Amino acid sequence: MEYIIKNGNVFDPANNINGEKIDICISNGKIVEAVKDSAKVIDASNKIVMPGGVDLHTHIAGGKVNLGRLLRPEDSKDFYESKVGNKRSGSGFSVPSTFMTGYQYARMGYTTAMEAAMPPIMAKHTHEEFLDTPLLDKGAYDLLGNNWFVMEYLKEGNLDECAAFVAWLIRVTKGYAIKIVNPGGTEAWGWGGNVQGINDPVPYFDITGAEIIKGLGKVNEMIGLPHSIHLHCNDLGQPGNYETTLKSFDLLKNIEANPKYGERDTSLHATHVQFHSYGGTSWRDFESEAPAIADYVNKNDHIVIDVGQVTLDETTTMTADGPMEYDLHKLTGFKWANVDIELETGSGVVPFIYSPKSPVSGVQWAIGMELFLLTNDVNKVVLTTDHPNAGPFIRYPTVIAWLLSNKYRTDLIENSLHPWVQKKTSVATIDREYSLYEIAQTTRSAAAKVLGLSETKGHLGVGADADIAIYSFDPETQDPSTEYHAIEEAFARAKYVFKDGEIIVKDGEVVKPEGYGRTFWIDSQYDSELENKVVEDVKIKFKKYYSINFDSYRVHDEYIRKSSPIKLS
Amino acid sequence: MNEIILTPKEQPSVPLELLNVNPDTVAGKSIDEIRQIKIAHGNTEVELSEFFNVKGESSENPSEIRIVIDGDVYNTKRIGYGMQSGEILVKGNASMYVGTEMKGGKIVVEGNVGSWAGRDMEGGELIIMGNAGDYVGSAYRGDWRGMSGGKITVHGNAGNEIGEYMLGGKIEVKGNATTLAGIHMNGGVLVIHGDATTRVGGEMMNGTIIVKGRIDEFLPGFKYHGIEKNIEIDGEVIDSSFYKFEGDFAVKGCGGIVYANASKNGHIVP
Ligand SMILES: [Zn+2]
């Protein structure tokens, strides 16, 4: 099927197109130069046309997501959709079921979403949930910051062995990137503790967070992965943690990006930085240090961040940062689930209520906004809510509207949020508003580039996958700054969404629910001889410590519907 | 009061759900329109008249409507769901979720009811003449915010975990209650006139539980405060002697109170 999208106001930052009326031609799932006269015409006049949204940090599949569903049946009580034709039923506000996850992303014009935390031993579970997550292209990051093998290789200074191990592990688990969560801290949690900052040695392994971060940062570039290391810093959510955050950022400063695929030019992706930009010494004198963090990002070119914007909802927190979740449980008294994941990592799940009236929640909201608004180059700051940790992804349209409208933010600050927002943060003094071009950067092109997927994702140039969102908002006659509810509604329910050249959403409803997107994974081998040696080590440890057999570890091809390996030479 | 009489024809083996048949939703409708109200039958929808004969007279004003279910509806769920005003009388047994999320009005069931009666109730009155199942006046599964207002009276016995996560309102059980009555309770009043087998008030944070019968086995997380006579609860004086306990100290910051009838509970006093 061929299509031509005519007369839309196109926002395609990767190709420097800023609202101009350009026709987009689609053939065979790709964006092409021209189509035949028989191509079906989609009239996009008075509408916004953007590439499909790219979410580079979300939790939608795997062990802890499912644990969240189990822990929170009440999350499904008032939030569900029924079966319509081939579209499945589903439920869950902050931890939606798999099918609904696909439909909800698609309705907002998002077509790629990356699961940001896959314990390698849970890779099969993650991919099994991907099997039932329709419409989206996806991938999963392997949790490696508390892995016994990684810690031992790095401790001994065996970077080559570590690279051989990591490349092998990512390949056999069909993962996409190196994820580091509270490096060393989750292993310390296995001993009932945590680490403080980046220089606190891990029990038994006697290695520090700094050594893990730096080591994996080097390993990442030795393998040449498309994405940089994806770092959830130490001390998440603790007042005063911004110093740890800045020190962690600096560890990667002199490591050069060396992707063997894609156009990434940064060596660090720091995730949900909102949770890591806190000043003060306790919750009583808690305050924003987002300006210091944004200043660092502005002055350094090795880093991209995503925000983890608080959306002021009741949600579910879930992370491999086991000790943090325990602290949260003790702080709130809310129910808590905890899992130890053998030689690899851990995880915790706790519900949380970000109440607009709460001083801390308000400041967290403001810190997220400050990070967006004080980072000069939007290519360095990606929109996320760390779904569902700071809020569910279905709130992205609201976050977009906040960024587009100072009035929307001011109304919220003055009428709904706690006065701490104005005392402890600078958000009320910032009148910057994102342009629609910048929205397309923070939700599309910047994410695609840092993932290494910018050849086919996050833009509308010839050769891109025909993943396209069309929104009912006329940038020539409507001003998002004042009509923020209209733009919010437009982004919540796209007029049309194309996935690989097919219309999957029309008028905000999923019209083609049965399609499945790709699973991206990295097919690489660092050094075949070294890998054989490393795998022999791994086999011995498997016999000794793992609860499963070595041969059951590998994710077989049957676990993937539409395999899209990226082969690194 | 205008009465609308629903006479059950036959209870199907797949349950019915009367989600949207209460005085608020039938007000202003003709009897014919009421017959056509869609009700859930398993995963399909049927008209009310398929399983009930409908007669009587409606009203514009829901508080002037009494819906009488004139027979046994042991396989019909969610009677009075979210009801705000008026009355419902069930002249037989009913299944699960009677008076769930009820906000006002009055429901009387002459027979027994299944579990979850008055779940998340906010107001109004729910009276069960027979026995009730588990989770009377509890929270939705998983939630920690349960019944916040209104009154539930069970004239027979009740099952396990009644008043779970209760925040307010009153539950009165004239008969006995089984395990974990008032578990996680966080407010309100729970009165058990009969016996309460085990673990009354497990992990309760707040609220008051009065057991006039015997507590077979009590939890260790409660502090004994001595005997109290003629206790006053909600403006009502109960004139017996009670052992007073505070707890459950298994949870931080607790301040719940359990009164156990002194004449029957010597075995649980330290
Ligand atoms: Zn995350």
Side-chain angles (χ1 to χ4, degrees), chain A residues 57-59 64 115-117 179 181 230 232 271-272 275 306 318-319 385-389:
Chain A
H57 189 112
T58 181
H59 301 283
K64 73 191 166 335
E115 164 56 53
K179 174 75 181 299
V181 171
H230 195 104
H232 156 149
T271 189
H272 41 67
F275 288 122
D306 73 78
M318 51 179 63
T319 166
T385 59
D386 187 16
H387 163 85
N389 285 296

Side-chain angles (χ1 to χ4, degrees), chain A residues 8-12 17-22 24 47 49 460:
Chain A
N9 299 81
V10 177
F11 294 88
D12 180 12
I17 296 166
N18 184 6
E20 291 137 63
K21 292 203 166 157
I22 291 172
I24 309 280
K47 290 179 183 63
V49 179
L460 296 173

Side-chain angles (χ1 to χ4, degrees), chain A residues 71-74 77 314 330 334-335 351 353, chain B residues 81 101 119-120 140-145 252:
Chain A
L71 184 70
R72 299 211 59 202
E74 77 281 9
K77 183 180 155 216
E314 177 177 323
K330 294 305 268 183
F334 292 157
K335 54 189 171 179
I353 302 170
Chain B
Y81 177 85
E101 296 181 35
R119 190 263 290 157
D120 284 321
Y140 186 86
R141 179 63 91 208
D143 211 323
W144 59 94
R145 296 149 293 196
K252 205 171 69 181

